[in-house]
Amino acid sequence: MPLAHLPATGRLSRPPRRAGRTAGRRPAATLVCALATVAALAAASPAPAETGQAAADPAATVTAADEASTVKVSVNAGVGLGTIDKAAFGVNHALWDSHMNDPEVTGLLGEAGVGMMRYPGGSYGDIYHWKDHTAPGGYVAPGTTFDEFMGSVRASGSQPMIIANYGTGTPQEAADWVRYANVTRGYGAKYWEIGNEIYGNGHYGSGWEADDHPDKSPREYARNVLAYAEAMKAVDPTIKIGAVLTTPGDWPDGITGPGDSADWNHTVLSTVAGTIDFAIVHSYPGGATADEALDRTARLPGQLREVRRQIDRYAGERSSKIGIALTEVNSNVQMNSRPNGLFAADTYMTALENGVFNVDWWNVHNGPTKVETVDGDTDFNDFGLLSSGGCVGDVCEPTVNTPFHPYFGIKSLTKLGRPGDTMVASSTDSDQVSAHAVHRADGTLSVMLINKDPLNSRTADIRYAGYTPTAQAPVVHRYGRGDTDVTRVAATAGGDQVLPPYSITTITVAPHAAAASVGAPGTPKTTAVGSSTATVSWTAPANGKAVRYEVYERLGTNAQLLATSTTTSATLHNLPPGSEHTVNVLARDADGRLSRPSEPLTFATTAPRDSSCLVNYRVDSGWASGFVATVTVANVGDAPINGWTLDFTWPSIGQSVQSSWNANVTSSGTRVHVTDNGANAELAPRGGSTVTFGFVGTNDGANPTPTTFTLNGTVCRTS
């Protein structure tokens, strides 16, 4: 979106984002894993303070009301969700920010574990010319040159994410920037985006992004991405090139522009998937309140999974080499509030757990736009993590660089995990409490519990699988009401940890037994996939000797053993046709102990190659939150059919049918049941006739294509 020019007062605002619809709550699950013995968390005495005694915790006494609101938490250390990347926790800097390189800012971001800084700031990326440090039409603050920015990057120990100017620049200008950064100055700048939100150039009717190209279509953008990549990698072939995609379910996803044959993502990926190193998406879920935005974090897993499906479709075997970066995120409502601090922590971890290697908050400083009161605090609706010191009328923000609540939400993540640590599966049985868990490199295991209820405490009953904690009290950190920083507090007496209203609580336990003597296997990959089988392979652990490997499928926080092997490959059998599966490989040492899980692998089996029916599902048009689809059914068997039913399941919980024609369509949850309308009940054999029906659907979030259709109980081929 466009950024307002900096007025004389030094204040700046970012225009409101398009608000999505309220997402449904995430389904609860309390699951027990067959991997290992489940051990309950025991805590008999308060934890010793890291330096002195832990702070007194007014919520550390379990009351009868707390007992009545116990939340069951399941953590499975045997189900890996991936490793936290060095670039995982990021922020956006911007050229209009004269405080960008304040030493105090660099220190605060370092304390919050920030490992990535994006430059030169959103839509400014498409008007910025690095050689003369100008942004025609925008304001450039003093002290914000590329070299000054890189000074802060180096001082904080992070790395840059740089937006190469697509809108008003050229491939040569971008290549010269790479040469200056990595050859002349030796900065080692690895990640380069080709433009920012280029789909906002007016091609779909809404234009905030500068784009001087006469042709503003996605195919022109894709063609130029190839030109930029060629020029930039000719200077430094080690850099990573990112292309802009739309976020599934958010405007303009699903819209086919004038003169186009497909929407933005499919057009761009069909051209660049063989070249790019990462895909770029942004997320501003919106809503009437920050609480509504916090609920919409539940949309992210489906949205990110659809991005990966699209990459898989066009990149094929190269898909595993293409990462996903969420280079802008904010709730876009009540942005300095405590619930937006919870949103920050929840969104960062949800995105990372679902395949993103980098998340960048929008942004470090911005400016106040509207004053309101949220949870007893003054909220300035300022996108910044830190105060810019601006005013709205007579109401002014606190001193420049004072952290707002989202800063502490991000800082809380330093108590959960660091780069190199393994994210593992976790869940709760409450839609008011979200969970994230990390098996740390030092052997400890941390669980972050976010209580989104503004009124009521919860008591967390944590059950572990694949990990047995010691009986000593856990180390507990909290950010909640009354806390001025992420604070070490005493563990709740009696073992179950109390979660105050509107709080982030992180509980860290130590292992009871020694770790396995063998490391995690390498990331698995598929070498063959059929309709009911898949063969996966992996590399042996870098340390230790494995005597056996076990392949487990993730089922929430549960895991199902699919295969064992004494070699570095295995064939998985009896998989349903057209189904998705996420698996981890674990190694077992000579003492029978299981290693940490490998990185996850998600794959889909194919539709059956031989079937007596054939189904074609086609989306005719879409508008981000809705679509029109046509389904064609053929009987390719030898016997005629008189009277038919077709069943399929939506891949996303946000998909539904609103109206239909040429058939009777009913739904129950994600299951769709279709019957003939009497006039089209007959299907001639061997493709002699077909039936076509259509419907209008809605999607709250991603809109993936159903993968499995059954006609009168027979699984069909798809085309």
Side-chain angles (χ1 to χ4, degrees):
M1 292 289 277
L3 296 164
H5 303 163
L6 191 71
T9 60
R11 298 193 302 270
L12 164 120
S13 64
R14 185 179 179 93
R17 294 268 173 169
R18 293 163 298 279
R21 301 184 314 139
T22 302
R25 296 278 190 172
R26 186 179 307 176
T30 303
L31 301 168
V32 179
C33 175
L35 272 175
T37 303
V38 176
L41 170 63
S45 60
E50 291 157 341
T51 54
Q53 183 61 37
D57 184 357
T61 302
V62 179
T63 66
D66 292 325
E67 291 288 359
S69 59
T70 296
V71 174
K72 294 181 179 179
V73 182
S74 298
V75 177
N76 193 333
V79 177
L81 307 182
T83 302
I84 299 176
D85 193 275
K86 291 180 181 179
F89 307 124
V91 296
N92 276 268
H93 273 306
L95 292 177
W96 64 81
D97 179 13
S98 61
H99 297 287
M100 174 196 296
N101 298 306
D102 288 357
E104 183 181 4
V105 171
T106 302
L108 286 167
L109 296 181
E111 290 174 11
V114 169
M116 180 76 88
M117 296 184 185
R118 187 172 182 245
Y119 179 91
S123 295
Y124 266 58
D126 284 309
I127 60 174
Y128 178 60
H129 301 286
W130 71 273
K131 289 183 180 180
D132 57 8
H133 189 55
T134 61
Y139 172 82
V140 177
T144 61
T145 66
F146 176 59
D147 285 317
E148 288 168 310
F149 163 73
M150 285 304 303
S152 295
V153 169
R154 286 187 155 185
S156 67
S158 62
Q159 58 184 311
M161 172 75 77
I162 301 173
I163 309 170
N165 185 341
Y166 173 85
T168 61
T170 65
Q172 186 60 53
E173 181 183 32
D176 290 343
W177 198 356
V178 174
R179 180 177 292 105
Y180 178 78
N182 293 354
V183 179
T184 304
R185 301 292 293 176
Y187 289 142
K190 182 178 181 180
Y191 295 101
W192 298 77
E193 301 180 56
I194 309 303
N196 172 80
E197 298 183 357
I198 300 301
Y199 47 79
N201 60 9
H203 184 66
Y204 297 102
S206 182
W208 64 85
E209 200 74 16
D211 184 359
D212 286 350
H213 297 86
D215 182 354
K216 294 177 171 50
S217 68
R219 64 180 177 275
E220 177 69 3
Y221 173 71
R223 186 186 70 80
N224 278 287
V225 166
L226 298 182
Y228 272 72
E230 181 180 12
M232 295 164 74
K233 288 197 172 187
V235 176
D236 183 353
T238 69
I239 64 171
K240 304 293 184 183
I241 297 293
V244 172
L245 298 184
T246 65
T247 303
D250 291 347
W251 186 95
D253 175 56
I255 299 174
T256 301
D260 297 339
S261 59
D263 66 4
W264 180 277
N265 284 8
H266 290 87
T267 302
V268 171
L269 283 172
S270 65
T271 298
V272 308
T275 299
I276 62 171
D277 302 290
F278 63 102
I280 303 153
V281 290
H282 292 171
S283 179
Y284 292 86
T289 65
D291 284 301
E292 287 189 14
L294 183 56
D295 286 343
R296 292 180 185 181
T297 299
R299 301 166 79 230
L300 260 182
Q303 291 176 311
L304 296 172
R305 180 64 199 130
E306 181 60 11
V307 173
R308 177 53 62 187
R309 288 190 190 102
Q310 292 172 359
I311 295 172
D312 288 344
R313 174 178 176 180
Y314 294 105
E317 293 183 359
R318 192 176 181 273
S319 178
S320 61
K321 299 179 181 179
I322 300 176
I324 302 172
L326 184 59
T327 61
E328 287 188 26
V329 65
N330 199 312
S331 70
N332 199 39
V333 60
Q334 297 178 340
M335 290 166 285
N336 317 120
S337 67
R338 186 176 301 278
N340 205 34
L342 308 187
F343 170 87
D346 204 22
T347 298
Y348 269 68
M349 289 311 303
T350 299
L352 294 170
E353 290 163 349
N354 286 277
V356 166
F357 74 88
N358 161 247
V359 184
D360 301 322
W361 188 261
W362 183 267
N363 56 350
V364 176
H365 296 99
N366 207 94
T369 57
K370 181 180 68 172
V371 175
E372 58 184 315
T373 300
V374 182
D375 192 42
D377 296 331
T378 301
D379 185 78
F380 296 91
N381 281 278
D382 182 336
F383 282 95
L385 286 174
L386 309 178
S387 171
S388 66
C391 305
V392 176
D394 295 331
V395 182
C396 295
E397 293 184 335
T399 305
V400 172
N401 294 331
T402 299
F404 291 125
H405 289 296
Y407 169 83
F408 294 110
I410 295 171
K411 186 177 180 180
S412 294
L413 301 177
T414 64
K415 304 305 178 184
L416 177 63
R418 293 282 190 172
D421 294 342
T422 302
M423 297 173 287
V424 298
S426 60
S427 67
T428 79
D429 67 348
S430 170
D431 61 2
Q432 289 289 290
V433 178
S434 58
H436 306 282
V438 173
H439 193 175
R440 302 173 71 122
D442 63 4
T444 60
L445 192 150
S446 296
V447 184
M448 174 176 281
L449 299 172
I450 301 173
N451 184 3
K452 298 176 283 187
D453 190 327
L455 302 176
N456 302 299
S457 294
R458 296 290 193 274
T459 302
D461 175 15
I462 308 177
R463 307 296 176 94
Y464 298 88
Y467 188 94
T468 304
T470 63
Q472 72 184 60
V475 174
V476 181
H477 290 87
R478 183 195 64 206
Y479 183 67
R481 290 177 179 141
D483 295 326
T484 57
D485 203 340
V486 180
T487 305
R488 172 80 182 271
V489 299
T492 306
D496 293 341
Q497 188 65 38
V498 171
L499 314 175
Y502 264 175
S503 66
I504 302 170
T505 304
T506 305
I507 301 138
T508 302
V509 294
H512 176 73
S517 61
V518 61
T523 304
K525 61 181 181 180
T526 55
T527 56
V529 179
S531 61
S532 61
T533 63
T535 299
V536 296
S537 63
W538 54 90
T539 56
N543 60 295
K545 180 175 176 57
V547 298
R548 189 174 71 186
Y549 298 98
E550 299 177 7
V551 183
Y552 288 89
E553 179 176 11
R554 177 187 175 188
L555 303 171
T557 50
N558 203 352
Q560 174 180 306
L561 180 63
L562 295 184
T564 62
S565 177
T566 57
T567 67
T568 55
S569 68
T571 299
L572 315 179
H573 298 278
N574 301 318
L575 305 175
S579 58
E580 278 192 347
H581 304 269
T582 299
V583 299
N584 295 104
V585 181
L586 290 84
R588 196 175 286 277
D589 65 15
D591 294 323
R593 295 172 299 191
L594 281 171
S595 71
R596 290 173 184 250
S598 70
E599 296 287 305
L601 165 69
T602 298
F603 65 90
T605 55
T606 64
R609 292 180 173 84
D610 296 312
S611 176
S612 59
C613 53
L614 176 66
V615 174
N616 176 269
Y617 178 98
R618 184 184 72 246
V619 174
D620 301 309
S621 61
W623 51 92
S625 61
F627 61 101
V628 176
T630 299
V631 182
T632 301
V633 183
N635 170 21
V636 293
D638 295 328
I641 293 175
N642 188 359
W644 55 267
T645 63
L646 185 75
D647 294 278
F648 64 90
T649 300
W650 292 120
S652 173
I653 60 174
Q655 295 172 288
S656 63
V657 174
Q658 295 301 298
S659 60
S660 61
W661 52 92
N662 292 345
N664 303 310
V665 182
T666 59
S667 301
S668 176
T670 60
R671 297 188 62 83
V672 180
H673 183 69
V674 187
T675 61
D676 64 77
N677 63 5
N680 58 6
E682 295 185 4
L683 283 168
R686 294 178 290 281
S689 64
T690 60
V691 168
T692 298
F693 66 92
F695 59 85
V696 175
T698 61
N699 55 289
D700 182 13
N703 186 30
T705 298
T707 56
T708 305
F709 298 84
T710 58
L711 181 70
N712 290 355
T714 298
V715 179
C716 300
R717 286 190 288 138
T718 57
S719 65

